[in-house]
Amino acid sequence: MHLKISRAHLFHQIQRCQNIVEKRNTNPILVNILFETVSNGLKLTATDLQATYSSTQEAEILEPGKLTVDAKKIFEIVRELNPEQMIELKTKPNFLEIFSGGVKFEIAAKSADEFPSEPTDETDLSISLPGSELIRMIGSTSFAMSNDETRKYLTGSLFEVSPEHGIRIVTTDGHRMALSEFNIANLQQSASCILPKKAVMELKRLAEEAEENIQLSLGQHQVRIELNQQRFTSKVIDAKYPVYQDVIPQSNPHTALVDKNLLDQALRRSMVVSNDFTHDVKLIFTDNNLSIAAHNTEQEQAEEDMVIAYEGTTIEVGFNAKYMRDVLAAVSSQNVRIVLKDSLSPALLLEEGHELSKHVLMPMRI
């Protein structure tokens, strides 16, 4: 293999591969990146056997070939090279030579024959949507993915596509739930799968580069996204997701309109004296006023009042302040609607002006 490529293009490819490569792996080949010449340039591939990323960039191919090199080492080398210089890559037995300006590196290489094959397409349904909408949906829901490995199905995000609601992303850890959706016209099929957290965050990173619609494909065992000569494929979590629809409050009669930033600041202050583990605070809704109170076992306490838009029955309800702040951070509007029933029922938090995203918080007994 012998080629010349822009340092900027190569560095971008390697950076993306770094997100996939498993840093500690019992299979040594999986800490490597596959370099492979193709008709239109240089193709790089990385995999941890659960997720696979490949990217092709334009390059001047002087001699075709393929090999694998250590991902961390090639990343650190290319990162330090002059961004304005071209990079020349040339193989010799068991090594890759790297030239740029007056700099030369020679690093160990392994045969490409040991590298796993790229997964074949096993998806059933493909949709096109703006990258900005995928970013919005993941940003609105990713915080509620669980870290509890004993309930693997909650550690990812449910991606659900149907003619009724377009594409919907749902996450829950049992204490809170987040849902966000985007309407897609003329859908004829339905599909759903649970994506692992690593795959969800990689989808978001790829969507951040999208200047046009991205192609998202779902299947029973696999999800795939294609964008600008880049392809990301991930296995899904083989499990049944909880019936989340039953958790969403349908008849909460009381609505408070609250400034998101002011509420977040008040919660942050209250957490100073709240329980370090449960972060419990009491919210008391009265006409045009919200009182926030917190205390701990050392009899320390905090109280604060803020003006809100609310009329109706006085409601006292306890929440985990950290969980509520996570929701507020995911809300894009200046104000948030808090829809309540009583002190023992889940609260529904909505962005002002639309219901494309919904967040449910379970109450705490205080």
Side-chain angles (χ1 to χ4, degrees):
M1 184 179 77
H2 187 193
L3 61 92
K4 294 180 180 179
I5 187 171
S6 155
R7 185 266 185 193
H9 288 166
L10 181 60
F11 187 60
H12 178 266
Q13 283 182 289
I14 295 172
Q15 269 189 311
R16 279 277 172 255
C17 289
Q18 279 283 96
N19 296 328
I20 304 301
V21 170
E22 195 63 50
K23 307 303 184 290
R24 298 187 182 97
N25 205 300
T26 54
N27 186 348
I29 198 67
L30 297 182
V31 301
N32 283 16
I33 297 174
L34 173 65
F35 283 63
E36 180 180 12
T37 59
V38 292
S39 59
N40 57 338
L42 174 65
K43 179 180 179 181
L44 266 59
T45 304
T47 184
D48 63 0
L49 298 184
Q50 296 298 313
T52 301
Y53 169 81
S54 65
S55 170
T56 301
Q57 291 284 358
E58 182 180 349
E60 181 185 353
I61 307 300
L62 303 174
E63 183 180 337
K66 56 183 178 178
L67 81 168
T68 74
V69 293
D70 182 273
K72 182 174 183 290
K73 194 168 292 181
I74 190 72
F75 171 77
E76 291 177 346
I77 289 172
V78 175
R79 181 183 60 190
E80 299 303 324
L81 296 178
N82 187 337
E84 306 300 322
Q85 294 279 355
M86 293 291 289
I87 292 178
E88 183 177 355
L89 303 178
K90 188 176 183 180
T91 57
K92 68 179 194 178
N94 301 318
F95 287 93
L96 173 66
E97 295 179 317
I98 305 164
F99 304 90
S100 182
V103 180
K104 177 185 176 183
F105 282 91
E106 190 172 297
I107 61 174
K110 290 185 178 181
S111 169
D113 296 337
E114 302 177 40
F115 201 81
S117 301
E118 194 168 355
T120 56
D121 189 353
E122 298 179 12
T123 58
D124 305 315
L125 172 63
S126 184
I127 60 173
S128 177
L129 74 160
S132 59
E133 288 298 329
L134 186 57
I135 294 168
R136 178 189 63 78
M137 288 190 289
I138 293 175
S140 183
T141 57
S142 59
F143 69 88
M145 287 186 282
S146 175
N147 294 315
D148 183 1
E149 291 295 329
T150 64
R151 296 189 294 175
K152 192 75 175 177
Y153 54 92
L154 296 184
T155 63
S157 295
L158 174 67
F159 276 58
E160 193 174 62
V161 175
S162 73
E164 291 75 29
H165 53 244
I167 179 170
R168 176 179 283 179
I169 300 178
V170 183
T171 60
T172 182
D173 60 6
H175 303 287
R176 60 240 173 115
M177 192 199 80
L179 178 154
S180 191
E181 60 189 23
F182 174 69
N183 183 52
I184 298 176
N186 303 318
L187 269 177
Q188 303 297 322
Q189 295 176 265
S190 297
S192 67
C193 59
I194 307 172
L195 269 67
K197 184 180 296 187
K198 181 176 180 179
V200 172
M201 302 320 295
E202 188 58 29
L203 287 186
K204 184 172 183 286
R205 279 189 284 265
L206 286 170
E208 287 168 351
E209 297 181 10
E211 297 178 356
E212 53 190 32
N213 279 15
I214 59 177
Q215 202 72 21
L216 178 64
S217 303
L218 304 177
Q220 188 175 356
H221 305 292
Q222 184 188 87
V223 66
R224 174 175 293 210
I225 186 172
E226 297 188 41
L227 170 71
N228 300 335
Q229 297 293 309
Q230 299 178 86
R231 175 184 292 166
F232 173 75
T233 306
S234 174
K235 293 181 180 178
V236 302
I237 297 174
D238 184 15
K240 184 177 176 63
Y241 207 75
V243 183
Y244 65 87
Q245 294 90 339
D246 295 345
V247 179
I248 303 172
Q250 301 296 331
S251 57
N252 286 8
H254 308 293
T255 299
L257 188 64
V258 184
D259 184 291
K260 175 186 71 173
N261 293 328
L262 293 180
L263 177 56
D264 181 66
Q265 292 164 14
L267 290 170
R268 188 176 70 243
R269 286 189 287 267
S270 297
M271 286 175 66
V272 174
V273 297
S274 67
N275 183 287
D276 290 337
F277 179 71
T278 60
H279 307 294
D280 52 309
V281 296
K282 180 186 288 185
L283 274 59
I284 306 172
F285 294 84
T286 56
D287 285 349
N288 297 321
N289 187 78
L290 172 60
S291 297
I292 302 169
H295 66 275
N296 57 34
T297 55
E298 297 177 2
Q299 298 185 333
E300 297 172 325
Q301 58 184 343
E303 295 181 0
E304 183 168 345
D305 290 311
M306 59 183 293
V307 176
I308 63 171
Y310 177 78
E311 292 182 358
T313 305
T314 296
I315 297 178
E316 297 186 15
V317 58
F319 290 114
N320 181 311
K322 182 181 181 302
Y323 290 168
M324 180 167 274
R325 292 191 67 207
D326 287 342
V327 171
L328 297 177
V331 170
S332 60
S333 60
Q334 178 62 38
N335 294 318
V336 60
R337 286 185 290 152
I338 304 177
V339 188
L340 303 157
K341 183 178 182 181
D342 52 44
S343 61
L344 300 178
S345 301
L348 178 64
L349 282 76
L350 302 169
E351 296 192 20
E352 185 182 21
H354 66 78
E355 295 187 10
L356 293 176
S357 297
K358 299 178 180 179
H359 300 96
V360 179
L361 275 180
M362 302 303 293
M364 299 178 66
R365 291 184 180 273
I366 297 180

